[in-house]
Amino acid sequence: MNRADFVEGLRGGSAVALASAPFGALFGALAVENGLSLSETAFMSATVYAGASQMVGIELFGHNVHAWLIVLSILAVNFRHVLYSAALARYIGHFTPVQKFFTFFLLVDPQFAEAVKRGEAGRQLTFAWYFGFAIIIYVPWVLISVAGGMLGGFIGDPKAIGLDILLPAYFLGIVLGFRKRDNFLPVALVSAVASVLAYRYVGSPWHVSLGAAVGIVLAAVLPLPQQEPDLEADALQSGVHEV
């Protein structure tokens, strides 16, 4: 792998690792509180590796829900990753099958956002950069989950100190990072309204996928923005014809 790209990825992902640390600690504390051992907590973080889905799973574990329903609920929360992988496909066509396996396994929301921004900026999305960005988030996530499980008793009630608001605020920040995209406002607004209605009438965690689906449908039917004419290119072309 290209060392420079790998180091650049490490630097970019380190900020995300720090921002996600409270979520990992909170998950570990909740996991132990709901009866998981430290090894089970680490295993779940290492294999599921999805903060929101892990929180949903833990909540359902605590209510003795059937295993198939837990898997289905986690799938509902993580369905957006199908869309993420489709959006990334254009940038990772040169990856080997093994590299693609790790690409999709390590795919989380900030990873997707930064990878797409890099690709849209015209920079090559190398596996060295992608893996460096991902591994600096993945390893601390697993370790901090275990630490949270060990020290969970000192955290107390997460809601009492406002930790429950961290995850929504974090996702909101990721969404706003795409605010300059065409049709962002109507798609985001309709998705939010649909998600709230689904939460009210269908329930969690299905509101996540239903809100996303409504936003996708709207984005598909909205007209594409008109491209601004390239006056310089037109002038050059006219000059060529005149010659």
Side-chain angles (χ1 to χ4, degrees):
M1 292 191 298
N2 184 289
R3 182 176 179 181
D5 283 354
F6 181 73
V7 172
E8 182 183 356
L10 289 176
R11 290 173 179 169
S14 60
V16 179
L18 290 174
S20 62
F23 307 143
L26 178 58
F27 163 74
L30 293 176
V32 172
E33 182 180 333
N34 282 276
L36 268 66
S37 66
L38 290 178
S39 59
E40 290 169 338
T41 299
F43 182 76
M44 187 174 184
S45 282
T47 54
V48 178
Y49 186 48
S53 299
Q54 290 177 221
M55 298 292 187
V56 170
I58 287 299
E59 182 178 351
L60 295 178
F61 284 150
H63 291 84
N64 297 317
V65 177
H66 291 294
W68 68 267
L69 185 57
I70 295 176
V71 173
L72 195 61
S73 298
I74 291 177
L75 177 63
V77 177
N78 269 1
F79 184 76
R80 67 189 187 281
H81 287 252
V82 176
L83 307 176
Y84 287 173
S85 59
L88 280 179
R90 73 181 84 175
Y91 303 119
I92 62 171
H94 57 288
F95 286 11
T96 68
V98 174
Q99 289 174 338
K100 289 179 180 178
F101 170 81
F102 285 106
T103 295
F104 294 132
F105 174 75
L106 295 169
L107 181 60
V108 290
D109 299 279
Q111 184 88 30
F112 165 76
E114 292 302 320
V116 168
K117 288 178 182 177
R118 185 180 179 92
E120 290 182 343
R123 304 182 64 190
Q124 185 182 22
L125 186 60
T126 64
F127 182 72
W129 175 87
Y130 189 99
F131 188 73
F133 195 100
I135 202 67
I136 197 65
I137 304 171
Y138 176 76
V139 173
W141 174 262
V142 177
L143 296 178
I144 291 173
S145 296
V146 175
M150 297 173 61
L151 304 174
F154 296 99
I155 296 178
D157 182 8
K159 295 182 179 179
I161 55 178
L163 286 181
D164 59 319
I165 199 63
L166 289 177
L167 192 61
Y170 178 67
F171 279 109
L172 181 61
I174 293 177
V175 171
L176 289 177
F178 291 92
R179 63 188 181 278
K180 295 183 179 180
R181 280 174 169 261
D182 297 313
N183 297 328
F184 168 82
L185 186 58
V187 171
L189 183 60
V190 167
S191 295
V193 172
S195 182
V196 170
L197 291 175
Y199 182 82
R200 173 66 176 83
Y201 295 105
V202 181
S204 177
W206 302 102
H207 65 293
V208 176
S209 295
L210 291 174
V214 172
I216 292 168
V217 171
L218 178 62
V221 300
L222 284 176
L224 293 175
Q226 295 295 324
Q227 296 292 331
E228 292 293 333
D230 192 336
L231 300 179
E232 183 178 348
D234 290 345
L236 180 60
Q237 188 68 24
S238 299
V240 170
H241 286 311
E242 290 175 1
V243 173

